[in-house]
Amino acid sequence: MPSLTLSHVTKYSYRQPVAFGEHRIMVRPRESYDQRLIDTQLTITPEPAEVRWLHDVFGNAVAIATFDKRAKDLVIDSRVRLDHSPAELQNVDIERYARFYPFTYSSEDMPDLLRSIERQHHDPLRQIDSWARRFVAPGGQTDTLAMLSEMTAAIKREFTYVQRPEKGTQSPIETLARRKGTCRDYAMLMIEAVRALGFAARFVSGYVYNPTRRESRTGGGSTHAWVRVYIPGSGWVEFDPTNGIVGNRGLIRVAIARDIYQAVPVSGTWSGFPGSFLDMTVSVDITVDEDETVLQHPSLTA
């Protein structure tokens, strides 16, 4: 069980002191059977007038900070120590009725999965549908896990990963046409593709690290993005199309949502003279304590 030390620092800089509105901060990893928080610290400068915590509709931990001081810089510094027990591919167990595609979710699960099956992006020419269907065996049953694993591997194999510091995400159709994108673009493409096949899928935001010196991971920035698909028997299973892997080895979950816009790490407002904003910088450092492997991503969200 690797023990990790994680630092995530976000800094906003301004030409002159500005006033800060409410800020919503979602950088605390989720507690689960496979990741256990040992210690967490959230330091905000200038000191907020109030910080309150809540769980959103997906159970993500969110800090809400309000301010009564003006300043030229806003620094949000999150420090976390956690134990991480990643799930391996061979541990994915599937109910007999769902081992081959197509299948239908049970009547007990379907009411709670419907919103995660709904498509989020228009596809008038059914381009995403056609691309997703290439992974389905013609005229017969398709192994469910093998199909999802191959789709994950195909995105890594056939698309070119590029970093894009600007905010926003390509539409799945744009990613399919351009054959390149960021981790968040890949995640949204795969989510729409598996939803086109009738699967429930969710967007995951978190951190990526190298589990050992022999392994490497692509992606990152301030956060990494991947996909969760609901598979009867194992529940929500992680698929990382950027790295072509199944399971959460090297992946630390922070936020889970139906859509990417529900999983923004930091959001908020400020008021002051026009043109006051200078820049935003993000630095993420993850240390694997057992072998002192370090991964650093000093950039914006990929």
Side-chain angles (χ1 to χ4, degrees), residues 61-258:
V62 182
I64 306 295
T66 56
F67 301 85
D68 57 5
K69 300 175 183 177
R70 301 174 71 92
K72 293 178 66 176
D73 297 300
L74 173 62
V75 180
I76 300 169
D77 186 344
S78 172
R79 311 275 171 163
V80 176
R81 286 191 65 239
L82 73 157
D83 287 333
H84 194 225
S85 303
E88 302 293 342
L89 175 59
Q90 60 266 27
N91 293 331
V92 178
D93 189 23
I94 304 179
E95 295 282 358
R96 184 179 297 275
Y97 75 88
R99 290 176 185 172
F100 293 93
Y101 178 85
F103 68 89
T104 302
Y105 288 121
S106 71
S107 58
E108 292 83 5
D109 291 337
M110 185 62 83
D112 298 304
L113 296 176
L114 281 173
R115 294 305 306 274
S116 295
I117 299 174
E118 290 179 1
R119 303 283 292 274
Q120 301 291 316
H121 297 267
H122 293 296
D123 184 15
L125 300 180
R126 303 182 70 85
Q127 298 173 70
I128 303 300
D129 298 62
S130 298
W131 184 80
R133 282 285 165 187
R134 60 174 276 199
F135 301 99
V136 179
Q141 292 183 322
T142 303
D143 182 279
T144 298
L145 183 59
M147 177 181 67
L148 295 171
S149 299
E150 175 55 25
M151 182 184 293
T152 305
I155 295 175
K156 174 178 171 55
R157 183 175 64 244
E158 300 172 9
F159 291 68
T160 301
Y161 174 80
V162 293
Q163 287 193 333
R164 189 177 65 249
E166 297 83 5
K167 293 182 179 180
T169 306
Q170 295 175 170
S171 72
I173 292 176
E174 289 175 320
T175 302
L176 191 61
R178 296 173 181 175
R179 295 288 180 173
K180 63 181 180 180
T182 67
C183 59
R184 60 185 186 265
D185 299 327
Y186 289 173
M188 291 310 301
L189 169 61
M190 184 167 177
I191 287 172
E192 285 297 291
V194 298
R195 284 174 175 170
L197 298 177
F199 288 92
R202 288 179 174 177
F203 180 88
V204 188
S205 176
Y207 304 104
V208 59
Y209 69 95
N210 298 336
T212 68
R213 297 184 187 277
R214 298 182 301 276
E215 300 177 75
S216 63
R217 293 289 184 267
T218 301
S222 68
T223 58
H224 186 54
W226 61 97
V227 181
R228 284 187 127 192
V229 179
Y230 191 82
I231 302 177
S234 281
W236 294 101
V237 178
E238 259 99 345
F239 295 87
D240 180 3
T242 302
N243 291 291
I245 60 174
V246 180
N248 65 327
R249 184 171 173 81
L251 301 173
I252 303 170
R253 287 185 302 276
V254 171
I256 298 169
R258 267 188 311 107

